[in-house]
Amino acid sequence: TRLVSDWSSDVCSSDLILALLAAVWLAPPSVAQSQPAAVAHPLPQSLIVEHTETAERLSMLAKRPGAVGVAAREALEVFKHHTAREQEFLPVLTLLPLLADGKVTPDMDWAVAMADRVRAEREQIFEEHTRVTEVLNKLVAAATRAHDKDATEFAEAAAADSLNDVELLEPTVLLIGDYLRGKLPAAH
């Protein structure tokens, strides 16, 4: 995640949640209709913030003329698909603080099924991350050719975030699923 300054002291979690809810509430009807009606298990707040920031930056870059704008528009479309897919399996990560405290409850069984899906779709997920990295590398190349340091730095950092997903987040989802399977009653 790219942070320009330490905003943690200036913004509390309720402010972030309110801002995100307001963004969804105030979105044009076409955007609101494209979103699922309700999310049974939301992503961790840090990922919501990261995804929102990345989409906003890509949207701004997509308005630029020339090759940077073209590459940013392509990256934005791929990123939107990618974040929708992550909603299907990264909510498992919301359980980490509870699990770190040794708390396992039967209502966590949803995470086992979600983790099993990640395991079954690992190759596809890897290919999706490869595609995200490819379009971000195109944006890096276009921004470098245009001498657009800001766009170059953003795209490089966003590509690193995609690598973080493959190296850390998705394996953590699998570990959580395996851990819960061992801790929950045998029916799971």
Side-chain angles (χ1 to χ4, degrees):
T1 302
R2 296 150 307 282
L3 295 175
V4 176
S5 64
D6 178 16
W7 53 267
S8 61
S9 61
D10 300 328
V11 180
C12 70
S13 60
S14 62
D15 292 337
L16 291 172
I17 291 170
L18 289 174
L20 291 169
L21 289 173
V24 171
W25 183 259
L26 297 174
S30 61
V31 173
Q33 291 171 358
S34 68
Q35 300 299 316
V39 178
H41 303 286
L43 289 173
Q45 185 175 334
S46 60
L47 290 178
I48 293 170
V49 171
E50 178 186 323
H51 289 169
T52 301
E53 289 175 352
T54 300
E56 287 173 358
R57 288 293 306 273
L58 286 171
S59 294
M60 289 188 319
L61 291 173
K63 294 175 184 174
R64 293 189 182 175
V68 170
V70 170
R73 286 188 291 278
E74 181 182 9
L76 181 59
E77 287 307 308
V78 171
F79 183 75
K80 285 179 181 178
H81 172 76
H82 172 68
T83 56
R85 284 277 289 149
E86 284 192 340
Q87 180 60 50
E88 298 173 16
F89 54 85
L90 290 185
V92 170
L93 297 172
T94 60
L95 298 178
L96 275 172
L98 294 170
L99 298 176
D101 288 339
K103 298 175 185 168
V104 175
T105 59
D107 65 336
M108 294 177 176
D109 62 349
W110 61 269
V112 175
M114 203 175 270
D116 288 346
R117 182 169 175 208
V118 170
R119 189 175 308 283
E121 298 180 18
R122 274 190 100 179
E123 186 62 34
Q124 180 183 356
I125 292 167
F126 178 79
E127 290 171 9
E128 290 169 8
H129 278 285
T130 299
R131 179 71 179 129
V132 168
T133 302
E134 286 172 356
V135 296
L136 289 169
N137 284 337
K138 282 185 184 180
L139 180 54
V140 169
T144 300
R145 285 191 303 276
H147 305 287
D148 187 335
K149 183 179 177 187
D150 180 53
T152 301
E153 289 174 355
F154 162 75
E156 288 172 343
D161 285 342
S162 182
L163 184 59
N164 181 66
D165 289 359
V166 172
E167 291 182 344
L168 299 174
L169 299 185
E170 289 154 15
T172 302
V173 167
L174 298 177
L175 290 171
I176 291 170
D178 291 344
Y179 179 78
L180 288 174
R181 188 178 334 281
K183 294 289 186 178
L184 291 171
H188 300 285

